[in-house]
Amino acid sequence: GAVVSQHPSRVICKSGTSVKIECRSLDFQATTMFWYRQFPKKSLMLMATSNEGSKATYEQGVEKDKFLINHASLTLSTLTVTSAHPEDSSFYICSANPVTSGRQETQYFGPGTRLLVL
Amino acid sequence: AQSVTQLDSQVPVFEEAPVELRCNYSSSVSVYLFWYVQYPNQGLQLLLKYLSGSTLVESINGFEAEFNKSQTSFHLRKPSVHISDTAEYFCAATNTGFQKLVFGTGTRLLVSP
């Protein structure tokens, strides 16, 4: 149980285009999902907290207009990288908290999406 | 602010040797602790977690970690490693509100024959 999927797993795009990444909780519901960015040989950096039915909460230094987050349902959150540039190339990972009896527990992570902007 | 420290960026060991990956946290409130493993080009997989109860927690593949409140540590151990254990290991912490998961910088475990 507690499986999180991401789509696509890899994407290559041209500079200036927008890319959408989907994060789905397959066998549980999640009112909260998280988006992380991981640079090569570095730890995960929390970008934003995605809340179902409300606006995402962005971490300091993360441009909300560039990284659009939509949490449309209890099983789906999307991250759209708008007007992507080569410096946006990275490994993007989402996670989700199962809500069990009203108590949030462990975050379960998706397999990640490798974005390469040319 | 809560922080997690993994002092060792890389730990090389020989197969079947014991290993300890160190993790220390700083928090003024109750804390939940996690170890995640990341294989190349993959996302993070939960290895084990401490939420409450017994301070010694175990994973299904032979790893264990002990929550030590007095030393604010949550070191990961395995008595005998395999080649397949080669991966990046991340320690993480969150408070009882589960609002944010704070990660350490990771430790790369390199197991050689």
Side-chain angles (χ1 to χ4, degrees):
Chain A
V3 178
V4 176
S5 70
Q6 281 184 243
H7 177 80
S9 57
R10 296 171 181 266
V11 57
I12 301 173
C13 69
K14 293 182 179 180
S15 185
T17 61
S18 295
V19 175
K20 180 185 283 188
I21 302 170
E22 292 186 349
C23 176
R24 292 181 184 273
S25 56
L26 299 185
D27 51 1
F28 65 94
Q29 294 183 331
T31 54
T32 303
M33 292 183 173
F34 302 86
W35 286 96
Y36 295 85
R37 182 173 178 176
Q38 186 178 31
F39 294 95
K41 299 183 180 181
K42 295 290 185 181
S43 187
L44 279 75
M45 180 192 78
L46 179 64
M47 299 175 64
T49 302
S50 172
N51 303 298
E52 188 268 337
S54 64
K55 292 182 179 180
T57 303
Y58 289 82
E59 295 300 300
Q60 190 173 9
V62 178
E63 299 178 60
K64 62 180 181 180
D65 294 330
K66 181 167 187 61
F67 298 100
L68 300 179
I69 291 173
N70 186 345
H71 197 146
S73 73
L74 289 173
T75 59
L76 173 65
S77 175
T78 60
L79 169 67
T80 301
V81 183
T82 62
S83 187
H85 292 287
E87 57 266 29
D88 298 325
S89 299
S90 193
F91 196 49
Y92 293 87
I93 305 176
C94 74
S95 71
N97 273 12
V99 179
T100 305
S101 301
R103 178 177 177 228
Q104 292 182 316
E105 295 187 353
T106 311
Q107 286 188 31
Y108 292 93
F109 286 78
T113 297
R114 177 78 59 191
L115 171 63
L116 177 61
V117 184
L118 302 177
Chain B
Q2 194 172 74
S3 66
V4 176
T5 302
Q6 291 180 251
L7 289 174
D8 306 306
S9 60
Q10 187 167 295
V11 174
V13 292
F14 289 109
E15 192 174 20
E16 296 183 3
V19 71
E20 178 180 85
L21 306 183
R22 295 180 293 170
C23 173
N24 289 89
Y25 67 93
S26 66
S27 175
S28 60
V29 298
S30 297
V31 64
Y32 294 168
L33 296 159
F34 307 81
W35 275 100
Y36 287 88
V37 58
Q38 184 180 34
Y39 298 100
N41 296 313
Q42 294 185 27
L44 275 68
Q45 300 175 28
L46 178 66
L47 194 58
L48 46 76
K49 62 184 177 183
Y50 169 77
L51 301 180
S52 64
S54 174
T55 56
L56 184 65
V57 291
E58 299 177 347
S59 71
I60 60 174
N61 56 353
F63 283 94
E64 64 177 31
E66 185 166 16
F67 170 59
N68 189 319
K69 189 174 182 179
S70 63
Q71 297 186 5
T72 60
S73 68
F74 191 56
H75 301 330
L76 182 69
R77 302 184 182 94
K78 189 170 185 179
S80 177
V81 295
H82 301 290
I83 297 287
S84 60
D85 291 326
T86 294
E88 190 85 22
Y89 291 81
F90 290 96
C91 182
T94 187
N95 59 25
T96 53
F98 291 101
Q99 292 304 306
K100 293 182 182 180
L101 198 58
V102 177
F103 283 88
T105 50
T107 298
R108 180 155 184 77
L109 176 62
L110 290 169
V111 183
S112 54

